């Protein structure tokens, strides 16, 4: 586990939150989509919304996992007290969502398969906790190896 800022979340809680995002990633894969999952929590551990990348399923390039979880959480007035948990380093689009709504902490399952904008978020004062989770690494790594054309389309290459 690597902390890239001063996160205030214990490892057990972060792992339990990541389990929800991983479940979403697996659902996305089972639906024929990109296996990336996310969940938005209040810092007290209350699950607010969960989702997964649905770009393929909905033919919508903006339906990333973080966006899906965020939309499913509904309107809030306490985003700085929220934790966005994602199986993969958030891309620039999703990092912009975190920045726009001042989400206080981001838990990143892994950043080996893709490095998004999480370092930028740290520079702007958002907490980021990288877990370097082996399940997240394997799930997406296998998908990329089996479907490189779909992966590269999703990340805009």
């Amino acid at each position: 586990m690597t902390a890239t800022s001063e996160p205030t979340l214990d490892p057990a809680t972060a792992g339990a939150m990541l389990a929800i995002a991983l479940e979403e990633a697996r659902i996305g894969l089972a639906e024929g989509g990109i296996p990336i999952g996310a969940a938005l929590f209040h810092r007290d551990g209350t699950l607010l919304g969960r989702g997964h990348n649905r770009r393929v399923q909905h033919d919508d390039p903006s339906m990333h996992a973080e966006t899906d979880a965020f939309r499913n959480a509904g309107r809030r007035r306490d985003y700085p007290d929220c934790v966005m948990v994602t199986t993969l380093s958030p891309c620039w689009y999703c990092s912009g969502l975190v920045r726009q709504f001042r989400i206080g902490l981001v838990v990143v399952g892994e950043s080996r398969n893709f490095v998004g904008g999480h370092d930028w978020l740290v520079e702007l004062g958002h907490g980021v906790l990288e877990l370097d989770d082996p399940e997240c690494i394997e799930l997406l790594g296998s998908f990329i190896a089996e479907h490189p054309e779909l992966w590269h389309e999703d990340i805009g290459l």
Side-chain angles (χ1 to χ4, degrees):
M1 179 173 9
T2 303
T4 56
S5 71
E6 298 295 326
T8 57
L9 194 63
D10 66 89
T13 302
M17 291 175 167
L18 181 61
I20 302 294
L22 256 168
E23 185 178 310
E24 285 292 326
R26 290 184 189 107
I27 291 168
L29 181 61
E31 294 173 349
I34 311 295
I36 302 170
L40 187 67
F41 292 87
H42 188 272
R43 277 192 190 263
D44 69 7
T46 303
L47 176 63
L48 305 171
R50 56 191 288 169
H52 52 275
N53 186 300
R54 296 174 191 260
R55 180 184 60 80
V56 174
Q57 300 91 314
H58 290 195
D59 198 29
D60 179 352
S62 71
M63 189 51 76
H64 289 201
E66 298 87 344
T67 306
D68 194 29
F70 182 79
R71 289 175 179 169
N72 289 329
R75 289 180 60 202
R76 308 212 44 91
R77 289 185 164 70
D78 63 351
Y79 292 112
D81 294 327
C82 291
V83 179
M84 177 63 79
V85 182
T86 179
T87 58
L88 182 66
S89 175
C91 69
W92 286 101
Y93 170 67
C94 295
S95 294
L97 180 141
V98 169
R99 176 63 179 157
Q100 174 70 30
F101 291 93
R102 300 180 325 277
I103 295 171
L105 178 64
V106 179
V107 174
V108 176
E110 69 109 340
S111 61
R112 291 188 191 195
N113 285 302
F114 175 77
V115 178
H118 67 267
D119 288 336
W120 175 70
L121 291 171
V122 171
E123 291 172 15
L124 295 170
H126 297 268
V128 174
L129 180 61
E130 290 185 68
L131 299 180
D132 201 31
D133 182 82
E135 286 183 72
C136 292
I137 294 165
E138 172 59 28
L139 182 63
L140 188 60
S142 295
F143 178 83
I144 293 169
E146 293 170 20
H147 307 282
E149 71 294 336
L150 190 55
W151 169 249
H152 291 298
E153 176 187 327
D154 191 52
I155 63 169
L157 292 179

